[in-house]
């Protein structure tokens, strides 16, 4: 963290990057760091670039910036294990690049990497960065709110087993700076009628394999039929997360241009190695992957079912 602070103080222009299809942790980390730097280094030019996430848009909406801003700049890439998943690839135009992440390391891109796989959220790392220098830095309510949203969403409201003592210490620090818990809950808990109808469809149509792998496929026409965003559709992976017989589950979505993405989750066996076989990766119990085409679905389902079978044998 000393190196991160040193480079932050060295550069007059700092650009914060996130990954494609950003989640709450990605946006929360970007805006948490943005407000932290704006408060403590008001003369610096701080920018956020990348894509928007609608369900946490109350925190802020990143924008694409012009190439000229990267001249003699520091780019900080947040919550992204591999460079090709960054939503703005122009980080390479910056003079220096820092990677801050909590996923299992896949690619050491940039000039300096700070990766802590024991942190359940990148926003926790940013919070701990503040806590290390809290005698020098001030934390605003805006920064604390963004970071709390990042931690809360990436831990499933603090229920995943990746949550640790440090997570609650970080959350307590943020709450002490004015975070309105009920307001955040209101933003994150509200669902549209379209989303509720999609949830009903998923509950009526998901499949379970012989050994207990639960999954649902959503093709392009089905997503459009319900009138929901791709982001809202992908978030429904949690809809089939509570089935007693199924320790592994997934949602497979068809995006524009025939891209098929998989959100793979577990409350038992590690699934990241299976995700690696299908062009993805992530955490041991929460990973992403992709299929080249729907014809590959059966093979993927068979491998996931085998993974569950082996896990249940070990647990006997």
């Amino acid at each position: 963290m000393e190196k991160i602070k040193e480079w932050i103080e060295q550069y007059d222009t700092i650009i914060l990057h996130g990954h494609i299809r950003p989640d709450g942790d990605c946006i929360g980390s970007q805006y948490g760091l943005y407000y932290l730097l704006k408060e403590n280094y008001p003369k610096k030019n701080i920018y956020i670039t990348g894509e928007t996430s609608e369900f946490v848009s109350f925190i802020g909406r990143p924008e694409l910036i012009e190439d000229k801003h990267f001249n003699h700049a520091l780019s900080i890439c947040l919550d992204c294990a591999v460079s090709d998943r960054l939503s703005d690839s122009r980080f390479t135009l910056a003079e220096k690049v820092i990677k801050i992440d909590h996923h299992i390391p896949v690619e050491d891109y940039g000039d300096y990497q700070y990766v802590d796989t024991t942190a359940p959220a990148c926003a926790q790392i940013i919070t701990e960065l503040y806590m290390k220098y809290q005698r020098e830095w001030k934390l605003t309510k805006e920064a604390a709110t963004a970071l709390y949203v990042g931690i809360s969403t990436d831990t499933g409201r603090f229920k995943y087993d990746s949550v640790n003592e440090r997570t609650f210490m970080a959350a307590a620090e943020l709450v002490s700076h004015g975070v309105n818990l009920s307001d955040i809950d209101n933003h994150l808990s509200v669902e549209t009628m379209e989303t509720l109808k999609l949830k009903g469809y998923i509950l009526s149509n998901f499949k379970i394999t012989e050994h207990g792998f639960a999954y649902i496929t959503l093709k392009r026409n089905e997503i459009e039929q319900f009138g929901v965003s791709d982001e809202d559709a992908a978030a429904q992976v949690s809809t089939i997360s509570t089935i007693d017989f199924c320790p592994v589950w997934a949602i497979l979505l068809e995006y524009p241009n025939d891209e098929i993405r998989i959100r793979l989750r577990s409350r038992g066996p590690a699934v990241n190695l299976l995700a690696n076989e299908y062009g993805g990766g992530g955490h041991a119990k929460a990973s992403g992957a992709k299929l080249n085409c729907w014809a590959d679905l059966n093979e993927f389902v068979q491998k996931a079912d085998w993974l569950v079978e082996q896990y249940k044998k070990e647990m006997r």
Side-chain angles (χ1 to χ4, degrees):
M1 287 186 173
E2 290 85 355
K3 177 69 71 173
I4 295 173
K5 183 172 183 286
E6 175 188 335
W7 285 10
I8 285 173
E9 294 181 341
Q10 179 180 341
Y11 285 88
D12 293 327
T13 299
I14 302 172
I15 303 170
L16 309 178
H17 298 253
H19 56 73
I20 59 174
R21 290 186 287 275
D23 56 10
D25 187 29
C26 179
I27 298 295
S29 298
Q30 284 182 284
Y31 272 91
L33 185 55
Y34 171 82
Y35 287 123
L36 179 65
L37 298 182
K38 289 291 286 185
E39 174 67 20
N40 294 284
Y41 303 97
K43 294 183 179 181
K44 294 184 182 294
N45 300 307
I46 316 294
Y47 301 99
I48 295 179
T49 185
E51 299 176 6
T52 295
S53 180
E54 288 298 333
F55 89 106
V56 288
S57 59
F58 64 95
I59 297 177
R61 293 175 177 270
E63 297 179 357
L64 287 176
I65 59 177
E66 298 180 32
D67 288 357
K68 64 181 182 181
H69 292 105
F70 289 88
N71 294 333
H72 309 295
L74 168 67
S75 276
I76 301 179
C77 303
L78 299 155
D79 194 39
C80 192
V82 291
S83 59
D84 63 3
R85 292 199 72 244
L86 289 165
S87 56
D88 191 334
S89 61
R90 295 176 298 167
F91 71 95
T92 56
L93 301 179
E95 188 170 295
K96 291 286 186 181
V97 177
I98 295 175
K99 169 189 176 182
I100 302 177
D101 191 29
H102 69 119
H103 297 96
I104 296 171
V106 178
E107 177 190 355
D108 291 335
Y109 64 88
D111 301 289
Y112 185 74
Q113 300 85 34
Y114 186 96
V115 179
D116 182 359
T117 59
T118 67
C122 188
Q124 178 175 313
I125 297 175
I126 303 304
T127 303
E128 291 175 338
L129 174 65
Y130 159 72
M131 293 170 70
K132 181 176 178 63
Y133 297 108
Q134 59 186 325
R135 292 186 178 181
E136 303 175 48
W137 287 351
K138 294 180 181 178
L139 186 71
T140 64
K141 178 181 178 180
E142 289 80 9
T145 298
L147 293 171
Y148 186 90
V149 168
I151 294 174
S152 177
T153 54
D154 233 32
T155 59
R157 313 288 181 92
F158 302 94
K159 69 181 181 182
Y160 298 156
D161 59 9
S162 57
V163 172
N164 52 42
E165 176 185 358
R166 289 164 41 209
T167 309
F168 288 108
M169 292 176 64
E173 182 68 33
L174 298 173
V175 171
S176 74
H177 285 80
V179 172
N180 188 322
L181 299 181
S182 62
D183 185 56
I184 290 175
D185 185 67
N186 287 339
H187 278 291
L188 297 179
S189 299
V190 172
E191 293 182 301
T192 65
M193 286 297 297
E194 290 78 12
T195 300
L196 287 173
K197 290 177 181 178
L198 174 61
K199 183 174 292 186
Y201 174 82
I202 291 172
L203 290 172
S204 299
N205 291 277
F206 71 89
K207 297 178 181 179
I208 299 178
T209 63
E210 177 184 358
H211 297 101
F213 169 57
Y215 68 99
I216 182 73
T217 62
L218 291 177
K219 297 187 177 180
R220 193 73 227 150
N221 65 315
E222 292 171 319
I223 296 173
E224 294 173 353
Q225 171 190 337
F226 284 96
V228 300
S229 67
D230 294 333
E231 179 183 5
D232 285 340
Q236 298 312 309
V237 65
S238 61
T239 298
I240 54 173
S241 65
T242 57
I243 305 169
D244 181 53
F245 179 68
C246 304
V248 178
W249 62 98
I251 187 168
L252 299 96
L253 304 103
E254 184 176 13
Y255 286 86
N257 302 320
D258 300 320
E259 182 184 17
I260 303 171
R261 305 291 302 187
I262 306 169
R263 300 193 81 181
L264 186 60
R265 301 291 184 266
S266 169
R267 58 172 177 274
V271 295
N272 57 298
L273 294 181
L274 175 59
N276 290 345
E277 291 185 42
Y278 289 86
H283 302 292
K285 297 184 180 180
S287 291
K290 59 185 178 182
L291 297 181
N292 292 322
C293 61
W294 285 113
D296 294 337
L297 175 62
N298 287 339
E299 180 188 67
F300 173 79
V301 170
Q302 289 172 7
K303 289 184 177 181
D305 184 63
W306 180 86
L307 180 65
V308 175
E309 180 186 15
Q310 299 308 305
Y311 169 73
K312 289 185 175 179
K313 286 180 178 179
E314 293 173 2
M315 296 300 292
R316 289 172 187 164

